[in-house]
Amino acid sequence: MEENPLKRFWIFSFVIGFCVGVWCASFGFASIPFGVFAVFLGVLTLLYSWRSIPDKYFREIFFLASIFLLCYGFGVLRFISVDKPINQILVELSGEKISVVGKVVKEPRERASYREYLVETNSGERMLVRADMFPEFFYGDKLIVRGTLNRPEPFETEGGRVFDYEKYLRKEGVHFILSFATTDKAGQSAFSLRRALFTGKNVFIGAIERAIPDPESSLLAGILLGSEESLGDDLLDAFRIVGIIHIIVLSGYNITLVAEAVMKTLSFLSRKRALVFSALGIVLFAIMVGAGPSVVRASLMALLVLVARFTHRTYAVSRSLLIALFVMVLWNPFVLAFDLGFQLSFLATVAIIWIAPIFEKRFSLIPEKFGLRDIASATLSTQLFVLPLLLYAIGTVSISGFIVNLIVLPIVPLVMFLGFVTGILSLISGALAIIPGFISYLFLAYIVFVSTFFANLPLSALSFGAVPVGLLVFLYLSCLLFFLYQKINTKSVS
């Protein structure tokens, strides 16, 4: 009996419908009545497709459309349910000095001349507090904060784009900023696993800093743990210009290394227990490094790999990516429309899964040694696929990114291994970390040199004018339809 290839796309219709609903609600294009109507209509059409359509292909098309419409309505309702109204009392106090009591609910971030704390007040209002570098406070500390209350305002980036800072902070539930704040510690919350993990991470970073000088130590902390705050604006800008900023944004590669390392360490246990401890290691590592969008996505996909191994079922990476997307948007609907890092991370993963294999078949002249062919195909596919979004959001395109990725990425796994060994040995004794620390320093200095050299070359990056949003949608929709067409034809032929 011939299988209808459209049946394979029900999860695609499910996730995309939900995300489209969240996206429309994010910009005010849908309301609660509209969402309820979409759910009701989706249920009716779903029942109709089951009972009243004899032709199987038309029935499947109607079924997928019903799933899309149903999940679209749920996406609208999910976003509206978490989109809390702004506190009008605080709006009226904007520009005034106020005092609040709250708790630090996220790992603090170090900026050039101040620290940022995400503080949740006793009334449940979240505020971004900008305070002096010292005294330093940590996750879980209870603070008394006094500062000037302001609303986040859009600002113009170096590329001439207007960045909507208010919408960006909405993903953290933040509507207000306390600037020039003075802070006093009012206490500390009870023991929490997250605070313990953050403390452990900071101790490990301190061990790295004792063994390797700066900025190489800061780069290693970024590669291993995604800690980029102490790298400095100049080096971060260089990494962005040459297109290797992703090496300090934890990816699926880093997360998979954690899982594999735990499994090998616990190889003396049964397979089931080793998989369970690997999953636990992934979760703890994700929490420790701050659980940013790219880390959560990569962690979810790595967990799905472990589930596939545990259940002895084939791991469908495309389906897993869709599941990860759904879970993340369900958990925090604001990341879909207002978090550029999440959008770039997702598109880059799509490119590696779906587009990189196409390039890899055509890169026969590039040797496979050191993974050069894989790096070349992955780099070119991701840069091309994220290009429309980068042009729309930032307006800057890296010209040297392909070359720099090709000569830097092959040594990153070695840097990660040597850096991890250096940090562990430095915790035991500084003398033990001298040799691996020196070798790590040489590789890290090479990455810094290559990045700054290419970033300072003329035309290393080009800036463009504004890209219409209609063109952006058209390009990605065309890619989506082309992929679906190829997928259906492939399944039909096979």
Side-chain angles (χ1 to χ4, degrees):
M1 184 177 178
E2 183 183 1
E3 181 185 4
N4 187 347
L6 291 174
K7 287 183 178 180
R8 300 176 181 270
F9 291 97
W10 72 268
I11 190 170
F12 184 88
S13 183
F14 180 95
V15 175
I16 298 302
F18 180 80
C19 290
V20 171
V22 169
W23 185 277
C24 290
S26 300
F27 295 100
F29 298 142
S31 59
I32 292 179
F34 193 83
V36 172
F37 175 75
V39 171
F40 178 73
L41 188 59
V43 171
L44 288 181
T45 53
L46 188 62
L47 294 174
Y48 177 77
S49 67
W50 277 349
R51 295 176 176 271
S52 306
I53 302 178
D55 182 80
K56 63 177 182 179
Y57 282 96
F58 186 65
R59 183 170 62 247
E60 289 299 332
I61 293 175
F62 211 79
F63 171 77
L64 294 177
S66 302
I67 291 293
F68 180 90
L69 187 60
L70 179 65
C71 293
Y72 171 86
F74 280 129
V76 171
L77 297 177
R78 172 56 183 160
F79 181 87
I80 294 176
S81 69
V82 299
D83 189 19
K84 297 180 180 179
I86 301 176
N87 190 323
Q88 292 302 316
I89 296 178
L90 291 177
V91 171
E92 294 177 0
L93 292 175
S94 182
E96 303 288 335
K97 287 186 175 293
I98 67 168
S99 177
V100 298
V101 179
K103 183 175 69 173
V104 180
V105 294
K106 190 176 181 181
E107 189 177 21
R109 295 178 66 90
E110 182 179 325
R111 301 301 185 185
S113 58
Y114 60 90
R115 291 187 192 276
E116 281 187 348
Y117 300 95
L118 184 59
V119 174
E120 186 172 301
T121 67
N122 293 339
S123 62
E125 186 74 41
R126 285 192 167 194
M127 298 182 179
L128 188 66
V129 175
R130 292 172 176 168
D132 292 335
M133 297 291 287
F134 299 99
E136 186 177 0
F137 303 100
F138 303 95
Y139 174 87
D141 286 345
K142 296 178 181 178
L143 305 178
I144 301 174
V145 184
R146 306 172 186 85
T148 303
L149 185 71
N150 291 300
R151 293 289 310 280
E153 295 182 355
F155 59 87
E156 187 173 315
T157 64
E158 294 181 358
R161 296 297 199 276
V162 176
F163 181 70
D164 197 331
Y165 195 41
E166 180 181 7
K167 289 182 178 179
Y168 174 78
L169 290 180
R170 287 175 71 186
K171 67 185 178 64
E172 301 286 357
V174 173
H175 296 289
F176 300 94
I177 298 175
L178 275 177
S179 304
F180 310 106
T182 57
T183 52
D184 295 305
K185 189 172 181 179
Q188 181 179 312
S189 60
F191 171 83
S192 70
L193 177 62
R194 179 173 290 187
R195 183 184 176 96
L197 291 172
F198 287 160
T199 301
K201 182 180 75 170
N202 292 330
V203 170
F204 187 74
I205 291 176
I208 291 175
E209 291 174 345
R210 291 193 297 271
I212 300 174
D214 206 46
E216 287 76 16
S217 60
S218 297
L219 175 57
L220 180 58
I223 293 174
L224 288 176
L225 300 168
S227 177
E228 62 182 65
E229 290 85 358
S230 55
L231 266 176
D233 293 338
D234 292 339
L235 192 54
L236 282 174
D237 287 341
F239 284 171
R240 292 189 183 98
I241 291 172
V242 299
I244 63 168
I245 191 68
H246 57 87
I247 70 172
I248 57 173
V249 178
L250 293 176
S251 63
Y253 179 80
N254 310 64
I255 305 297
T256 303
L257 281 181
V258 173
E260 294 294 338
V262 174
M263 287 191 67
K264 290 179 180 179
T265 304
L266 301 176
S267 59
F268 60 91
L269 297 176
S270 66
R271 181 179 178 83
K272 182 188 296 186
R273 291 182 179 178
L275 287 172
V276 170
F277 279 109
S278 296
L280 182 61
I282 291 173
V283 173
L284 294 178
F285 182 77
I287 295 174
M288 180 180 69
V289 298
S294 61
V295 174
V296 173
R297 174 195 50 75
S299 300
L300 287 172
M301 295 189 69
L303 287 172
L304 289 168
V305 171
L306 295 179
V307 171
R309 291 182 182 179
F310 181 74
T311 58
H312 302 287
R313 298 185 63 181
T314 302
Y315 173 61
V317 66
S318 300
R319 186 172 298 180
S320 299
L321 177 61
L322 288 175
I323 294 174
L325 171 66
F326 172 73
V327 172
M328 292 185 68
V329 176
L330 179 67
W331 180 262
N332 186 353
F334 293 99
V335 300
L336 183 65
F338 304 134
D339 191 335
L340 180 62
F342 169 79
Q343 296 164 6
L344 292 173
S345 173
F346 176 77
L347 290 178
T349 306
V350 169
I352 292 173
I353 295 172
W354 293 341
I355 302 176
I358 300 175
F359 284 110
E360 189 173 359
K361 294 177 182 178
R362 292 163 172 78
F363 284 175
S364 57
L365 296 179
I366 300 178
E368 296 183 358
K369 194 173 183 180
F370 304 117
L372 291 179
R373 187 179 299 177
D374 290 340
I375 293 172
S377 58
T379 300
L380 185 59
S381 60
T382 53
Q383 289 193 348
L384 289 177
F385 200 61
V386 304
L387 180 60
L389 181 59
L390 284 175
L391 288 176
Y392 173 76
I394 301 176
T396 303
V397 178
S398 174
I399 302 301
S400 58
F402 181 77
I403 298 175
V404 175
N405 274 271
L406 206 59
I407 62 179
V408 165
L409 290 190
I411 70 170
V412 170
L414 182 59
V415 168
M416 292 180 66
F417 173 75
L418 290 172
F420 178 76
V421 171
T422 299
I424 294 297
L425 293 179
S426 181
L427 287 172
I428 301 172
S429 169
L432 294 175
I434 291 177
I435 295 178
F438 178 71
I439 300 175
S440 300
Y441 167 79
L442 293 178
F443 285 116
L444 292 164
Y446 166 78
I447 296 175
V448 172
F449 171 77
V450 169
S451 303
T452 53
F453 174 79
F454 277 92
N456 291 325
L457 290 178
L459 301 179
S460 183
L462 298 179
S463 297
F464 295 86
V467 174
V469 65
L471 178 60
L472 179 71
V473 174
F474 171 77
L475 290 174
Y476 283 118
L477 187 59
S478 299
C479 291
L480 173 62
L481 293 176
F482 176 76
F483 171 77
L484 290 178
Y485 174 77
Q486 294 290 328
K487 199 76 172 175
I488 292 175
N489 281 352
T490 302
K491 297 299 181 182
S492 299
V493 172
S494 60

